[in-house]
Amino acid sequence: MNVSSKSSPSSVPPVPARTATRRSVLRGLGVATAAGTAAVCLPAVTAHAAPAGRRTPGASGTFALTLVHLGRDGAPTTDYRTLLTALSGPDAGSSREVKGSPSTVTLQVPAGRYMLDATISTRPVGEGNWGNDWLVQPRLDIDRDTTLVLDARVARPVDIRPPVDDARYEQTGAFAEVTYEGFTSVANLLSMSLDLRTAHLGPAAEQGSVRTWIDTYWRRSAGVCALGYAFRGERALTGLVRHPALADLATLVVGAGVPAAGAGTALIEFAPAVGASPALGLAVPMGGTGTFLLTPERGSWDLVYGAHTEEEGPANNYFVLGRSFTPGSTTVHTFDVPVFGPALDSSPGARPVAQRTGDTLDLTVPLLADGDGHTPSSPLFIASTVTLHRNGTLLATRRGEKPGHASFTVPAGRAAYRLTASATRPRGSVTAAWTFTSAATATATDLPLSAVRFGPDLALDGTAPAHTTGPVAVTVEGAARKTGVRSLTVSVSTDRGATWTKAAVTGGRITVTTPGPGKAVSLRAELTDAQGNTVTQTHIDAYVTRAATGAR
């Protein structure tokens, strides 16, 4: 989702929106706690201020705050919107907005610390876009009657441009976050025009208390340029000029696989992980690719890939969150392409997917992760079953739930368990059977499950050329990756599991010769880890073949 408010001449200035609707964009708006990022700040430009007024509050316990709005020509203007947010005092956490008319406004406000931001718009000439000057005063201390002259002429240009000729500008999101005495306020501006200027007003705030960032988005024929810059310091930004070279940016290529439900269109959202941003969605036909050019210095980024698994079913989303990039790098993420199977992320901080707490076994194993290991929110399946045996005796069976998801209550004593999860897809099936020993635990304890991942070289429609011989990568995840592998046997079938042929694992690969067009390769792995725990995985119709001369 993206935030948009098209500008057009009218009697009421189209001051850009202050809220956004992208996933997580609303986080941090208003008053809330929030974390910051990198630090740089530019010199301040101070607003005009009148001599000090009365220092003793009036009968209402407030002071007069007079705001004078001047346009780029220095004349009074009614094309503005100004927001005043209290960071301390009796109104802490609340905001007041004034806009439109008259050009000079007087507010009665209690003593305290405030954040003020004002957007002053300039009417276009002819068919041009509105110009916007965003003035931010992160520190406004009210202890007397005060007059502020908000003068658009102090603003300086925001000039951020990508190094590619085919990029078409879409929108800019500018944000300022101020933290003071436990309150955090975020002001934001969305501009649909390249004519954007910004300025810091007033004295510096406390060091490190001001975080500002600007994200600009440009559309290409099959991609997006996402250029963002973030700063931390004591002032808001007064203008920003960035013309990065191609070598300064990172490239992200997203491949849209064709799911078994059929071709369609995938929607890709890509935006910074920290701080709100008006993400620009990219629609990619399944079987195609989309490309993002991004600024690594903006910090980590979130990618959300969405596709419908069936015509009227729920959207299936994949989330790749908090990823960092380096300048000049190219990263590829491919979604909805086989081999589908269990994925056990063993990286530090990864969410556990199989645990025992006391006498309860909780399983959220992603049994149908795609070939790149991305976990689907709504995997495509026809039937699913999870069974649990204890010392050879069936304890319980769960059917119809999300593949690999179940919860069991078991006796406290130590015993040998066999846990089997299976799912049937529109074509083929996946079954994983784990054995391990377990007893009651005082705290949540990971179950020693492992998984084997297969990585053939497939087209985006999930096919491999028929009658060809090539490598298939084999990797181990989960407990065996940590403790070591005692034994691993991989077998291949081209008759849907009627017969199997062992394939030697050499250098993390096996060699597979594909059958005729329209047929399928099935795979099986039998693994024992260094502690004696086992897993047997069977992938019937793991991937299918196409005519060798077919297009990739």
Side-chain angles (χ1 to χ4, degrees):
M1 259 182 281
N2 65 317
V3 188
S4 61
S5 57
K6 289 290 184 183
S7 299
S8 59
S10 66
S11 59
V12 178
V15 179
R18 292 183 179 277
T19 58
T21 56
R22 175 192 172 268
R23 170 194 52 81
S24 83
V25 165
L26 295 178
R27 179 186 59 212
L29 296 181
V31 176
T33 58
T37 54
V40 173
C41 63
L42 300 177
V45 177
T46 304
H48 307 299
R54 62 186 171 89
R55 294 176 179 269
T56 303
S60 62
T62 61
F63 294 100
L65 173 61
T66 300
L67 305 174
V68 181
H69 299 85
L70 302 180
R72 291 183 182 179
D73 59 1
T77 181
T78 58
D79 291 339
Y80 70 86
R81 178 160 61 178
T82 297
L83 186 70
L84 181 71
T85 302
L87 299 176
S88 69
D91 291 344
S94 65
S95 297
R96 298 175 65 178
E97 182 181 74
V98 293
K99 60 182 179 180
S101 181
S103 60
T104 298
V105 178
T106 298
L107 307 175
Q108 296 295 323
V109 298
R113 170 73 65 88
Y114 293 83
M115 175 187 185
L116 179 143
D117 77 287
T119 302
I120 300 175
S121 297
T122 300
R123 294 175 183 271
V125 176
E127 297 298 321
N129 291 320
W130 285 73
N132 295 299
D133 296 294
W134 194 41
L135 314 179
V136 179
Q137 182 158 341
R139 178 178 181 174
L140 174 57
D141 293 313
I142 299 296
D143 60 0
R144 68 195 70 184
D145 291 349
T146 303
T147 296
L148 291 180
V149 180
L150 305 174
D151 189 341
R153 292 173 296 179
V154 304
R156 297 293 179 265
V158 171
D159 182 8
I160 301 172
R161 297 176 184 271
V164 288
D165 294 334
D166 64 340
R168 176 173 56 85
Y169 173 77
E170 287 282 343
Q171 59 196 28
T172 298
F175 300 83
E177 177 188 274
V178 179
T179 300
Y180 180 72
E181 293 187 348
F183 285 105
T184 295
S185 176
V186 178
N188 69 91
L189 167 82
L190 175 72
S191 178
M192 311 296 290
S193 169
L194 280 169
D195 187 4
L196 171 64
R197 310 191 312 171
T198 65
H200 168 92
L201 303 181
E206 289 74 16
Q207 180 60 42
S209 65
V210 180
R211 192 166 67 92
T212 57
W213 62 97
I214 294 182
D215 297 323
T216 67
Y217 292 89
W218 303 66
R219 193 175 294 282
R220 307 175 71 192
S221 58
V224 168
C225 295
L227 309 182
Y229 300 91
F231 310 90
R232 180 185 285 279
E234 56 193 19
R235 294 179 171 86
L237 288 176
T238 296
L240 182 66
V241 177
R242 293 290 188 273
H243 297 162
L246 199 58
D248 299 324
L249 304 180
T251 301
L252 170 65
V253 179
V254 178
V258 181
T265 301
L267 178 63
I268 304 166
E269 292 185 1
F270 185 69
V274 178
S277 187
L280 187 62
L282 177 64
V284 176
M286 294 174 182
T289 60
T291 301
F292 294 84
L293 289 178
L294 63 111
T295 44
E297 60 264 48
R298 178 61 172 86
S300 58
W301 294 76
D302 290 344
L303 167 66
V304 181
Y305 177 96
H308 281 279
T309 56
E310 39 188 322
E311 187 173 346
E312 297 183 358
N316 180 37
N317 294 316
Y318 294 94
F319 300 90
V320 182
L321 306 179
R323 299 301 173 91
S324 297
F325 302 86
T326 57
S329 65
T330 298
T331 303
V332 179
H333 279 282
T334 302
F335 296 89
D336 266 336
V337 171
V339 172
F340 295 93
L344 303 178
D345 186 356
S346 55
S347 60
R351 184 178 65 86
V353 297
Q355 290 189 321
R356 177 166 182 165
T357 306
D359 296 333
T360 301
L361 272 63
D362 290 310
L363 310 172
T364 56
V365 177
L367 192 65
L368 296 178
D370 69 10
D372 269 9
H374 305 121
T375 301
S377 64
S378 299
L380 183 63
F381 70 99
I382 297 172
S384 70
T385 304
V386 180
T387 63
L388 184 66
H389 289 76
R390 183 178 187 271
N391 290 335
T393 301
L394 177 64
L395 282 185
T397 300
R398 305 283 187 265
R399 289 189 174 89
E401 300 182 25
K402 192 172 182 178
H405 286 55
S407 183
F408 300 96
T409 300
V410 299
R414 187 173 184 82
Y417 288 89
R418 179 178 178 84
L419 172 67
T420 303
S422 64
T424 303
R425 290 174 45 79
R427 176 165 185 171
S429 63
V430 177
T431 301
W434 295 275
T435 66
F436 55 89
T437 57
S438 178
T441 62
T443 60
T445 302
D446 291 353
L447 298 178
L449 306 189
S450 299
V452 178
R453 303 285 303 166
F454 295 101
D457 183 16
L458 303 178
L460 287 173
D461 65 359
T463 64
H467 300 305
T468 58
T469 299
V472 173
V474 179
T475 57
V476 173
E477 296 181 346
R481 186 166 182 170
K482 299 176 182 178
T483 65
V485 176
R486 182 182 298 175
S487 65
L488 172 60
T489 301
V490 175
S491 302
V492 178
S493 173
T494 56
D495 56 11
R496 308 196 75 246
T499 59
W500 294 92
T501 301
K502 289 185 178 180
V505 181
T506 304
R509 297 176 182 273
I510 60 172
T511 299
V512 173
T513 300
T514 58
K519 295 186 178 181
V521 173
S522 299
L523 298 165
R524 184 174 66 193
E526 299 166 280
L527 179 146
T528 302
D529 72 13
Q531 306 301 319
N533 307 299
T534 72
V535 60
T536 299
Q537 282 178 221
T538 305
H539 303 253
I540 300 298
D541 291 356
Y543 59 96
V544 298
T545 59
R546 65 179 187 276
T549 57
R552 287 293 302 270

